[in-house]
Amino acid sequence: CHRWLTCKPLPPGALGRITGTVADRVRVPWFTGAVKINISLVPPLVLLPVFLHVAALHFLLGLIILTSLPVVVLWYYYLTHRRKERTLFFLSLGLFSLGYMYYVFLQEVVPRGHVGYSQVVALTCGLILMLAALSRAKKDPGYLPIPAGNEKLSHQALPNKGVRGSCNGLHGVTMSGGASGRAVNGEAKGYSRVSAEEPEGVKKDWCTKCQLVRPARAGHCRLCGRCVRRLDHHCVWINSCVGEQNHQAFILALSFFMLTSVYGITLTLHTVCRGRTPFVALFYCPGAYSDYSSALSFTCVWYCAIVTAGMGYILLIQLLNISYNVTEREARLALRDNTGRRLLGGLVIDTGQYNKGFLCNWGHFLSLGSSPPQRSAEDIV
């Protein structure tokens, strides 16, 4: 503080040490001792209610805050993504937004008497189903087991060294090239390409990070530090990867969120803006700022609409990728290598490698995780 007041520069790394100390001291008293709190959980819990209540004071304040919030969230996402950091900020923001919107709905909308008991039950059931699917999506996405003999595998990972053996038809595997260390879409590509092919004609990869041979479509997540079967992407909203074992639950969570959010927005607009359709009321509701309760409800509706539009775009991309049997990781790698073709105005990138038709692609997706994956000889070693 003395250096700041006297306009003297801080020593190198001082701000980092200060931030680390403050983050370490944020603890909650508990019976078994003070529990450390992740500092990234705190901002959404404090700032979101403050911003929404300030936005409800006047139309112009609401316009400024609801415009700046997505910009701030995107900026923070870019900052953490560039630093390759894991954060609970987005998960905290998503869960607290759900809870706070539900609280405002019960406190401000339901007492007006225009929402029936059955409608509240339906909205609550949708919220519970979404949380259940989200809990399942937070579990193991399909991490590949890290071999116990890392020293032996590290020796095999040297460039231009042959790995002999038999695994699912993999004979005479030869390593080529070196670890590049670059990262695309959450994947640290520090591995060498394997020249031999599986019976289906799909190549396997050697990951020098996890020291194992990855099956087809698996990838290494640079944020989780693990290889995941059929890696789609690392989702900051669940703070976990989306892979073979949790992709279905991820789609279910997005779908339940969309249905519940649209239903809640419709009920609120029918209450606040009587006599208008929800779409018209969203843009033209003269009595929305007549009292503070209506203004807060209308502000929360717009906040939900912005979040729902973003999640709807994510769900649309996911459904299109499933229809063409391509993962987000494969699409980005195809764009980088210029091996895929853009379809539907660039919404989907078709690599053509796994696409076997709409019905077969969805059948393949619905069967993900139905049987335990076969372990290779390299995994067993």
Side-chain angles (χ1 to χ4, degrees), residues 19-30:
T19 304
T21 303
V22 172
D24 183 67
R25 296 297 186 270
V26 178
R27 298 173 183 264
V28 175
W30 198 246

Side-chain angles (χ1 to χ4, degrees), residues 185 217 230 232 313 316-355 361:
N185 192 28
R217 313 190 76 177
R230 197 183 177 276
D232 190 85
Y313 176 78
L316 175 64
I317 298 299
Q318 286 289 313
L319 295 179
L320 290 175
N321 286 344
I322 295 170
S323 300
Y324 285 90
N325 199 4
V326 61
T327 63
E328 186 68 20
R329 168 181 169 270
E330 292 166 350
R332 299 211 176 182
L333 291 176
L335 279 179
R336 186 204 64 184
D337 299 333
N338 198 22
T339 57
R341 58 193 183 105
R342 295 176 178 268
L343 299 175
L344 303 177
L347 290 177
V348 63
I349 307 299
D350 182 20
T351 61
Q353 189 174 7
Y354 304 101
N355 187 5
N361 293 339

Side-chain angles (χ1 to χ4, degrees), residues 48-49 52-53 96-112 123 268 272 292-301 304:
L48 182 63
L52 291 179
H53 279 276
F96 185 67
S97 296
L98 286 173
Y100 191 71
M101 294 304 105
Y102 187 69
Y103 169 78
V104 171
F105 179 79
L106 294 180
Q107 289 293 115
E108 306 294 343
V109 179
V110 174
R112 292 173 178 262
L123 186 69
T268 304
V272 176
Y292 187 76
S293 176
S294 299
L296 180 61
S297 301
F298 189 72
T299 302
C300 290
V301 162
C304 288

Side-chain angles (χ1 to χ4, degrees), residues 213-236:
V213 176
R214 302 188 304 203
R217 313 190 76 177
H220 184 91
C221 177
R222 61 176 179 170
L223 299 178
C224 296
R226 295 284 299 276
C227 283
V228 182
R229 294 183 183 274
R230 197 183 177 276
L231 175 63
D232 190 85
H233 69 288
H234 182 94
C235 181
V236 296

Side-chain angles (χ1 to χ4, degrees), residues 13 78 101 133 174 193 246 263 273 324 344:
Y78 171 76
M101 294 304 105
T174 304
R193 286 287 176 184
N246 68 340
Y263 187 58
C273 305
Y324 285 90
L344 303 177

Side-chain angles (χ1 to χ4, degrees), residues 100-265:
Y100 191 71
M101 294 304 105
Y102 187 69
Y103 169 78
V104 171
F105 179 79
L106 294 180
Q107 289 293 115
E108 306 294 343
V109 179
V110 174
R112 292 173 178 262
H114 300 295
V115 178
Y117 176 76
S118 59
Q119 294 172 318
V120 176
V121 171
L123 186 69
T124 305
C125 290
L127 185 62
I128 293 174
L129 290 174
M130 193 277 297
L131 291 176
L134 181 63
S135 175
R136 174 62 188 87
K138 281 285 295 175
K139 294 182 179 179
D140 181 15
Y143 291 123
L144 288 172
I146 298 178
N150 280 343
E151 296 80 10
K152 181 179 179 180
L153 292 176
S154 297
H155 176 72
Q156 293 175 348
L158 294 175
N160 300 324
K161 296 294 182 179
V163 180
R164 299 295 177 183
S166 174
C167 169
N168 297 331
L170 186 64
H171 299 278
V173 180
T174 304
M175 299 299 176
S176 63
S180 64
R182 294 175 61 190
V184 176
N185 192 28
E187 179 190 3
K189 301 196 306 168
Y191 60 85
S192 301
R193 286 287 176 184
V194 179
S195 61
E197 297 183 352
E198 294 184 19
E200 296 82 359
V202 180
K203 293 182 179 180
K204 286 191 173 186
D205 293 328
W206 171 262
C207 179
T208 59
K209 301 292 184 180
C210 298
Q211 297 293 294
L212 52 81
V213 176
R214 302 188 304 203
R217 313 190 76 177
H220 184 91
C221 177
R222 61 176 179 170
L223 299 178
C224 296
R226 295 284 299 276
C227 283
V228 182
R229 294 183 183 274
R230 197 183 177 276
L231 175 63
D232 190 85
H233 69 288
H234 182 94
C235 181
V236 296
W237 295 105
I238 64 174
N239 194 34
S240 178
C241 289
V242 177
E244 182 178 272
Q245 298 296 319
N246 68 340
H247 202 167
Q248 296 174 351
F250 179 72
I251 296 297
L252 274 179
L254 282 177
S255 302
F256 282 129
F257 171 80
M258 291 295 299
L259 294 174
T260 305
S261 180
V262 171
Y263 187 58
I265 289 174

